[in-house]
Amino acid sequence: MFDFIKNMFASPVDEQLSGVIKNGAKLLDVRSPQEYAEGHVKGSINIPVDRLANHINDLKKTDTFVVFCRSGNRSGMAKAILTAKGFHNVFDGKTWNNVNNIVNSF
């Protein structure tokens, strides 16, 4: 019953993110190191958005990424940076709590 109600209100974005994450997307937390240390998604990589351009060569363009932050603002900027640098499989997970909830639902 609970799954039925949960699925009734699930957004297509959450379903898409869930599928992408289940298929092994790299989880990229673009918050500050301090925010990351206070709590983060298991298995996520922390590269603050203001340092992302300096770490582009550390990331594979063929990988799929889910970017996220505290409120969704920095994740949008991170997605734009990666897309501008030629990354095609980048999904905006918005908040780390959103992505964490998806990861913990598996």
Side-chain angles (χ1 to χ4, degrees), residues 42-88:
K42 181 180 176 182
S44 63
I45 303 162
N46 179 227
I47 303 176
V49 70
D50 60 348
R51 299 181 195 162
L52 187 55
N54 295 332
H55 291 276
I56 290 294
N57 293 331
D58 298 336
L59 306 173
K60 292 182 186 176
K61 290 184 180 180
T62 56
D63 285 342
T64 299
F65 293 93
V66 174
V67 293
F68 53 92
C69 61
R70 182 179 50 83
S71 67
N73 290 329
R74 290 174 284 182
S75 64
M77 293 187 318
K79 181 179 179 182
I81 290 167
L82 291 171
T83 301
K85 295 292 186 177
F87 289 78
H88 298 290

Side-chain angles (χ1 to χ4, degrees), residues 12-106:
V13 172
D14 287 345
E15 290 175 22
Q16 183 181 29
L17 277 176
S18 180
V20 166
I21 292 169
K22 279 184 182 178
N23 286 327
K26 306 290 185 197
L27 305 177
L28 185 55
D29 188 326
V30 297
R31 298 176 299 152
S32 72
Q34 294 80 13
E35 290 171 298
Y36 186 82
E38 291 171 4
H40 59 273
V41 178
K42 181 180 176 182
S44 63
I45 303 162
N46 179 227
I47 303 176
V49 70
D50 60 348
R51 299 181 195 162
L52 187 55
N54 295 332
H55 291 276
I56 290 294
N57 293 331
D58 298 336
L59 306 173
K60 292 182 186 176
K61 290 184 180 180
T62 56
D63 285 342
T64 299
F65 293 93
V66 174
V67 293
F68 53 92
C69 61
R70 182 179 50 83
S71 67
N73 290 329
R74 290 174 284 182
S75 64
M77 293 187 318
K79 181 179 179 182
I81 290 167
L82 291 171
T83 301
K85 295 292 186 177
F87 289 78
H88 298 290
N89 299 312
V90 182
F91 296 83
D92 189 346
K94 304 290 184 201
T95 70
W96 83 273
N97 283 319
N98 181 49
V99 174
N100 197 43
N101 287 338
I102 293 170
V103 168
N104 289 332
S105 72
F106 302 150

